[in-house]
Amino acid sequence: DTQVIKRINALLDRGDISHSVLTDYVLRNYPYFSFNSPHLGNLYPYAGGKQKFYETINTHFKEVVDSQEISTIIDPFMGGLGTFYSLFTHIPKDTSVILNDLNPSIYTLSKNVQNKNGHKKMMVCISNIIQDMFKQYQTYQPTSEQYKEYHSALLQKLNEIEKNRTAKNTIEGSSILLFLLNNGFGGNYEMKDSGSYISASTDTKKVKRFFNFVGKIGLYHYLYNTAKVTFHNKDYKTILKKYSGHSDTYTTMDPPYFQTNMMSIEEFDKKMEHLNQTLATQTIGTQEYKTTHKEILSLTCGCSFNYGNFGDDFPHEQLLRDLKLIKGELTYFNYRHPLIEKYSKKYGLTIQYLERRTTNSKNTSGTPIQMKEETFMTRRRVKTALCSQNSTQISNNINYINPNSMVQKVS
C-alpha cells in the first residue's frame, strides 16, 4: 500500500535511516498497521479491559437509548476507554460524554489526543521515538533484550516528566506513555509514587510491529471530537455528584476490582460481625490484633492487580453506597462479592453473572485457569435474547449466564 509507505516516510523523514529500510519494514509488517486494519480496537491495552463483554454492554445501552432520551454518558473510571469505544456507534447525536480518570498521566494523554495540534505532534513524537530506537540498535527489528533496554530508558524519562509536568514536556510524556502501553506486557500498568510503571513485553511478535498503534491516534482524535467528549481528572464521587444526578443520564463504571468472594450475604455479614467483635476485645498493635485486622481486610480488599496509587485501599463499599447518587441508568462491573449483591438489593438493581477467563487461559504449569464470574450490575434487566434466553434466574434480581451458551459470546 503506497499510501501507508508515504505516510510513514513523511513522519520519519529525518535522514537517520534510509527510506528503503523503512519501506521494507512496512511491507514485511503490513498486516499490523492499525490504520490499515478494519478493526482498530482500543487506543492502548489496559488491565481489566471489557472487549469480551462489548456485546453485553452494547445490548444494554441500545435498549436504554431506544426507550428514553439520554443527555449525558458518564464514565468515572475511563481507564483504557474500552466502554467508550464499544458504545461510540450507538451514542445519540448531541449526547455529552464525560470521561474521567484519577490518574493524571492517562488524563493528559487523552487530552493531548483530543487536541487538534496535540495529536499531530504526538504522532510525530512517537515516530521519532521509534526511529531513534532503530538508529540506536541499527536494526528495525530489535531483539527482546534490546527492546527491554530501550523500554527501561523511556520509562525513566517518563517518570522524570511526570514528576515535573509542564506545557513543554506534556506531548513527549504522553507519547512515551502511549508507546510503552502499546509495547508493554498485557496492559499491566500501575502508578507508583506518582510515576508510571509498565513492564516490558516478552512477546517477540509485539516488538516487531512498533507502528501498529500510530494510526489509532488519528482515529481517537476523530472519536473524541465527533462525540461531545469532556475529560476530567477528579475522584469518582465528584463526577457522580456533578453529572449523575439526573434521570436522563447513563453512568458506566469499571472500578478497581474486589478479590472474588463467593460467600452469601448472610455468611459474609456473620463473619464480619464476629471478626469486628473479636477485634474490639484485642489490644491495638498486638499480633492477635494484626491477624484479625488482616483477616477483615482480606474479606473486603481488592484483587492482586490494584493500579498502584489509584487502586491501593480503594473504598469498594463506599462506592457501592455512593450508587445512591446515580439517578439515571447505570452499569457496574466487578468480580463477584456479597457486598455487591447486598447493595443491589438495597437499591433495587439487577445482577447478571458473566463467566470469563483471564487474558491467558492457562497458567504457567499449562493447566487451564478456572473461570471467574464477572458481575454485571444494572438498573434495568437486559431483555433481548442475548441475555434473557441464555441465563438462569437465581433470585428476583440476579441472573446467571449459562456457560454452555452465553460464554461463547462474552468470555
Side-chain angles (χ1 to χ4, degrees):
D1 189 322
T2 57
Q3 293 303 314
V4 174
I5 296 171
K6 286 174 64 177
R7 183 172 181 176
I8 293 298
N9 285 341
L11 289 171
L12 299 181
D13 192 10
R14 292 170 56 189
D16 294 325
I17 294 181
S18 70
H19 280 192
S20 61
V21 171
L22 289 172
T23 301
D24 185 43
Y25 176 89
V26 172
L27 292 175
R28 289 170 61 126
N29 294 277
Y30 175 84
Y32 305 120
F33 280 76
S34 61
F35 40 76
N36 260 347
S37 171
H39 177 70
L40 294 174
N42 292 359
L43 180 59
Y44 47 85
Y46 200 79
K50 290 292 168 285
Q51 292 93 329
K52 297 176 182 179
F53 301 134
Y54 281 175
E55 189 172 1
T56 302
I57 295 169
N58 290 346
T59 298
H60 177 264
F61 182 71
K62 284 188 286 186
E63 287 186 355
V64 172
V65 297
D66 286 345
S67 63
Q68 70 174 90
E69 182 178 340
I70 297 295
S71 67
T72 312
I73 298 169
I74 304 107
D75 188 347
F77 305 94
M78 68 178 179
L81 295 154
T83 301
F84 166 74
Y85 178 78
S86 173
L87 296 180
F88 177 79
T89 56
H90 308 296
I91 297 174
K93 184 180 180 181
D94 297 325
T95 298
S96 297
V97 180
I98 307 301
L99 301 177
N100 176 74
D101 204 282
L102 193 58
N103 184 325
S105 294
I106 291 294
Y107 163 76
T108 303
L109 165 60
S110 301
K111 287 287 290 182
N112 283 329
V113 171
Q114 186 183 38
N115 184 269
K116 180 179 179 179
N117 295 319
H119 85 285
K120 294 178 181 179
K121 291 178 181 178
M122 281 186 64
M123 294 178 75
V124 173
C125 188
I126 290 174
S127 298
N128 291 340
I129 289 170
I130 297 170
Q131 181 171 345
D132 288 343
M133 176 176 58
F134 291 167
K135 179 182 178 182
Q136 179 173 329
Y137 297 109
Q138 288 300 298
T139 177
Y140 56 85
Q141 291 189 345
T143 65
S144 293
E145 290 304 314
Q146 287 173 330
Y147 176 69
K148 286 179 183 177
E149 179 183 59
Y150 196 70
H151 178 106
S152 178
L154 283 177
L155 186 59
Q156 183 177 351
K157 176 66 174 176
L158 173 61
N159 292 161
E160 292 172 357
I161 292 173
E162 288 172 329
K163 291 177 181 177
N164 185 29
R165 206 185 305 271
T166 66
K168 291 184 178 181
N169 65 24
T170 178
I171 295 295
E172 183 181 13
S174 293
S175 300
I176 293 174
L177 176 59
L178 186 58
F179 175 84
L180 294 179
L181 284 170
N182 275 278
N183 294 288
F185 180 75
N188 289 338
Y189 170 51
E190 296 179 74
M191 180 67 78
K192 298 180 177 180
D193 300 322
S194 299
S196 294
Y197 177 77
I198 308 161
S199 55
S201 174
T202 56
D203 181 354
T204 55
K205 292 182 180 180
K206 180 178 287 187
V207 299
K208 292 180 181 179
R209 52 181 192 257
F210 295 104
F211 288 105
N212 72 334
F213 65 93
V214 176
K216 294 182 184 180
I217 298 172
L219 168 70
Y220 271 79
H221 171 75
Y222 168 80
L223 297 184
Y224 294 158
N225 288 284
T226 301
K228 296 170 61 178
V229 174
T230 302
F231 290 103
H232 290 282
N233 178 217
K234 307 288 184 182
D235 65 274
Y236 78 84
K237 196 165 187 175
T238 299
I239 297 299
L240 295 185
K241 286 182 176 180
K242 185 172 182 179
Y243 295 105
S244 298
H246 304 281
S247 60
D248 61 346
T249 58
Y250 185 95
T251 303
T252 177
M253 289 181 289
D254 184 21
Y257 272 27
F258 275 111
Q259 189 69 34
T260 299
N261 187 320
M262 303 297 286
M263 288 181 177
S264 68
I265 298 174
E266 293 73 20
E267 291 172 331
F268 178 81
D269 285 345
K270 185 175 180 180
K271 182 70 172 178
M272 289 294 291
E273 182 180 10
H274 169 71
L275 289 173
N276 283 318
Q277 288 176 350
T278 301
L279 193 69
T281 66
Q282 296 171 339
T283 303
I284 297 176
T286 62
Q287 186 57 47
E288 61 177 2
Y289 180 93
K290 293 178 182 178
T291 300
T292 304
H293 186 255
K294 184 177 180 180
E295 189 172 357
I296 292 174
L297 290 178
S298 70
L299 293 175
T300 58
C301 70
C303 65
S304 56
F305 187 83
N306 58 21
Y307 304 94
N309 293 355
F310 304 109
D312 289 337
D313 303 320
F314 182 81
H316 294 282
E317 186 171 9
Q318 183 60 53
L319 172 58
L320 291 170
R321 292 193 190 102
D322 290 335
L323 295 180
K324 65 185 178 184
L325 298 171
I326 301 173
K327 305 306 180 185
E329 186 53 75
L330 67 88
T331 66
Y332 170 96
F333 277 97
N334 216 308
Y335 284 145
R336 187 167 181 170
H337 196 282
L339 282 174
I340 300 175
E341 185 176 340
K342 179 178 180 178
Y343 283 93
S344 75
K345 291 183 175 181
K346 181 175 181 178
Y347 296 133
L349 304 175
T350 292
I351 285 180
Q352 290 171 312
Y353 290 123
L354 313 177
E355 287 198 332
R356 67 169 293 175
R357 289 187 176 92
T358 53
T359 302
N360 300 309
S361 59
K362 294 184 178 180
N363 59 27
T364 53
S365 65
T367 57
I369 295 175
Q370 185 176 3
M371 301 277 276
K372 286 193 173 184
E373 289 185 348
E374 185 110 1
T375 300
F376 180 54
M377 183 164 62
T378 62
R379 194 175 300 284
R380 70 166 71 200
R381 187 187 307 278
V382 179
K383 297 178 181 178
T384 63
L386 173 66
C387 290
S388 62
Q389 291 182 6
N390 294 314
S391 60
T392 303
Q393 189 166 320
I394 294 178
S395 67
N396 290 333
N397 70 329
I398 298 178
N399 276 7
Y400 180 81
I401 304 304
N402 188 328
N404 295 319
S405 52
M406 187 62 179
V407 169
Q408 299 301 316
K409 298 180 179 179
V410 301
S411 66

